[in-house]
Amino acid sequence: MQDVVQWLKDNGNLKIIDEALDVELEIPHVAYVEVKKEDSRPILFTNPVNKAKGIEYDMPVLMNIFANKALTEKIFGKHPDAVAEGIEELLKLKPPKTFKAKLAMIPKLFSLKNVFPKRLKFRGECQEIIIPKEEVDLDKLPILKTWEEDGGPFITMGQVYTQSLDGEMQNLGMYRLQQYDKNRLGMHWQIHKDASHFFDQYQKAGKKMPVTVAIGGDPLYIWCGQAPMPHGMFEMLLYGFVRNKNAQLVKSITNDIHIPRDVDIVIEGFVDPELTEIEGPFGDHTGYYTLKEPFPVMDVETITMKKNPVFAATVVGKPPLEDKYMGWATERVFLPMLKPMAPDLIDYNMPENGVFHNLIMAKMKTLYEGHAMQFMHAFWGVGQMSFVKHALFVGEDAPDLEESEALTKHILNRLSPENVFITKGIVDHLDHSSAKQFVGGKLGVDATGEEVEEGVETLLTDSELLEKIQEINANVLELKQYFTETKNPVCVISVNKKKSQLKMIKKLKVLKEHIKVLIIVDKANNDIEDLYMLVWRVVNNIDASRDVVLEPFIAVDATNKGEVDGFEREWPGDTFCTKSVLDDLQKKGLIDIDEKFIKEFGLLPFT
Ligand SMILES: Cc1cc2nc3c(=O)[nH]c(=O)nc-3n(C[C@H](O)[C@H](O)[C@H](O)COP(=O)(O)O)c2cc1C
């Protein structure tokens, strides 16, 4: 990754911070603030330290590698749409009919030989240094603790390489890894993920599972690790396809798993199928802490590395963050792979403030009644798309999916309780809103049709409407109406919640002529003027099967749930920065933020 550092200097406007900064909170806070800026930059921290443990590390920490769209595109070496085009071409490949067509196909087929990873017989640069088991000490790696309430330090950009029990299938997944002590890591592969399926096989067979974790190397490995490849397809095939160059793999020293030769650091070990340990809490990419839960544990056998390794890491929390740019590329590249099951799909968009799986907008050509519903079911039934909680479908006449304001108006003009569809399905392992972990509500909106005829009967001003609502419920504190020029203005209210909001919604029936869509959020930590973060909050906080009602109007209870709602799971807290750390970094000139920035992105709690 030394080469990557040089490459980022040349191509990515790399920022270098030489000041000694703590791996606990300080480094993550600097990176967190940076990546929220427009045109944010990758950062190399050359002097990471751990003040509490008295450690000065001998390798730098590299963060925000995917700092913006332009850099992500440069990492790919082409626009992700171009990768998608290549995939689409492959999927549509037909036997050539003429000699000329046969000739034209040769280069395409020839380039396919580059897709398959090559297993090298010799050792890789990543094995220049080999640390034997007795000397393994994970404290020598600058592993970050991002958030104050994190259960410990976590490797956040680990490429986790695993294989099936019979060795036939290989997998690369990006899963976070909690450092427990000098030689044990928690394996946070969630229940629906490939490594978890492999783990089940080892567990049934009562055999130890080999795992190799790699850090660094070509940034495209990192992207491949998070790519939702179908089960059984090794992500290194995708690497070869994008690069048009075989991934070059070398064998791990203590197991049979092969890893890219040029990664910076390799941690090899075995997972005991009988043992789990509490993992977390961890401030996650949902912007909430994921709660403590048992996960398998890896005993480290050896660590190998390059002579001058660089430790790659990322910070997750509230959007926008680095996963915005990785997710953008994923969304583009995977479009052609969705088309075989949804052939009239034109495009889709998963905005980062919907933390990807919480919100999808899709544009399609509708050929028959119920077509959009058919696609919703298809999405909810396939691979990682099935985690999607809320799916909004528009027709081919809709604005571009990235034009969020025009698109929202288009949807609101077509919205009616009749075309809102609520069902249940599997939800992301991290979803906190469903009554039961793993299964929850799904909401689909079919806005592919014509504009609705009926709009709001009598539109009131915000203050008039607030007054009328407060006469019914004094716990409503603020109100703002959005998109009042559409058939379905969205009325957002913030409350000081004392009771279940569903009861209040019923009482608001008398205001039916003034309200078409009502969204309720807690007053604490929500700014009703900040639409970007409101979307983030609402789609995170609701289980549509419980929190969305269609009578007397469309109403969404996006407040935090608890006893008054009959909610029995623990409700997690938001990820917040530590104020003293932000203040200190600001004083040192390492970040430059103001109150507006802090509130806009929910960096600190507010009431
Ligand atoms: C920064 C980042 C951190 C992630 N952490 C985890 C994690 O801890 N556990 C997990 O199961 N998935 C995590 N993911 C998502 C997986 O990488 C993603 O679902 C991937 O497709 C899984 O690969 P698999 O299908 O081969 O298991 C993370 C993604 C990103 C971008």
Side-chain angles (χ1 to χ4, degrees), residues 171-172 174-176 188 190 193-194 225-228 235 384:
N171 192 66
L172 159 60
M174 168 131 84
Y175 318 119
R176 69 166 187 252
H188 187 258
Q190 295 156 8
K193 305 298 171 71
D194 288 351
Q226 59 80 62
E235 285 70 8
Q384 294 190 39

Side-chain angles (χ1 to χ4, degrees), residues 405-443:
E405 193 170 332
L407 185 72
T408 310
K409 286 182 190 164
H410 182 92
I411 294 171
L412 290 173
N413 281 328
R414 282 157 183 79
L415 182 67
S416 76
E418 290 75 49
N419 56 31
V420 176
F421 171 63
I422 298 172
T423 182
K424 279 194 165 196
I426 67 157
V427 290
D428 191 89
H429 194 127
L430 304 179
D431 184 76
H432 64 265
S433 68
S434 59
K436 221 168 125 189
Q437 197 181 16
F438 307 133
V439 177
K442 304 275 186 188
L443 178 140

Side-chain angles (χ1 to χ4, degrees), residues 4-52:
V4 173
V5 168
Q6 188 54 50
W7 184 87
L8 286 171
K9 280 183 191 165
D10 297 340
N11 298 279
N13 195 16
L14 181 71
K15 194 180 205 175
I16 298 181
I17 298 184
D18 291 325
E19 176 120 12
L21 284 180
D22 206 320
V23 290
E24 293 201 0
L25 309 184
E26 286 185 344
I27 288 179
H29 277 42
V30 173
Y32 188 66
V33 166
E34 173 66 31
V35 78
K36 288 184 179 300
K37 295 186 197 155
E38 299 223 342
D39 276 336
S40 63
R41 298 167 64 181
I43 314 181
L44 186 74
F45 297 90
T46 57
N47 273 307
V49 297
N50 186 315
K51 290 175 190 160

